[in-house]
């Protein structure tokens, strides 16, 4: 679980950095794309974690 937490923290940090960069230049297409990519990676990972936890819960 420690690796999962590290990866999650990394994805949150990347999303936060991308968001802050986009807020400094909201019209930038490349910064918007970077933010959307970071957000998608974070959303995908959290979905995977939720699915994994649900499977563990069901097995009990």
């Amino acid at each position: 679980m420690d690796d999962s937490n590290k990866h999650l923290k990394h994805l949150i940090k990347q999303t936060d950095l991308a968001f802050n960069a986009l807020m400094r230049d909201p019209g930038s297409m490349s910064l918007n794309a970077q933010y959307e990519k970071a957000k998608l990676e974070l959303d995908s990972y959290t979905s995977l974690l939720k699915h994994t936890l649900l499977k563990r819960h069901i097995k009990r």
Side-chain angles (χ1 to χ4, degrees), residues 32-51:
N32 188 54
Q34 288 175 12
Y35 171 65
E36 289 299 324
K37 180 179 183 252
K39 191 170 68 166
L40 178 62
E41 289 176 0
L42 178 59
D43 289 346
S44 297
Y45 189 70
T46 55
S47 253
L48 176 66
L49 286 177
K50 287 177 189 177
H51 181 72

Side-chain angles (χ1 to χ4, degrees), residues 14-57:
Q14 290 305 112
T15 304
D16 191 44
L17 291 172
F19 178 78
N20 287 329
L22 181 59
M23 290 297 98
R24 287 190 296 277
D25 186 6
S28 171
M29 296 301 283
S30 66
L31 291 176
N32 188 54
Q34 288 175 12
Y35 171 65
E36 289 299 324
K37 180 179 183 252
K39 191 170 68 166
L40 178 62
E41 289 176 0
L42 178 59
D43 289 346
S44 297
Y45 189 70
T46 55
S47 253
L48 176 66
L49 286 177
K50 287 177 189 177
H51 181 72
T52 302
L53 291 173
L54 182 59
K55 283 174 55 176
R56 285 184 191 168
H57 180 73

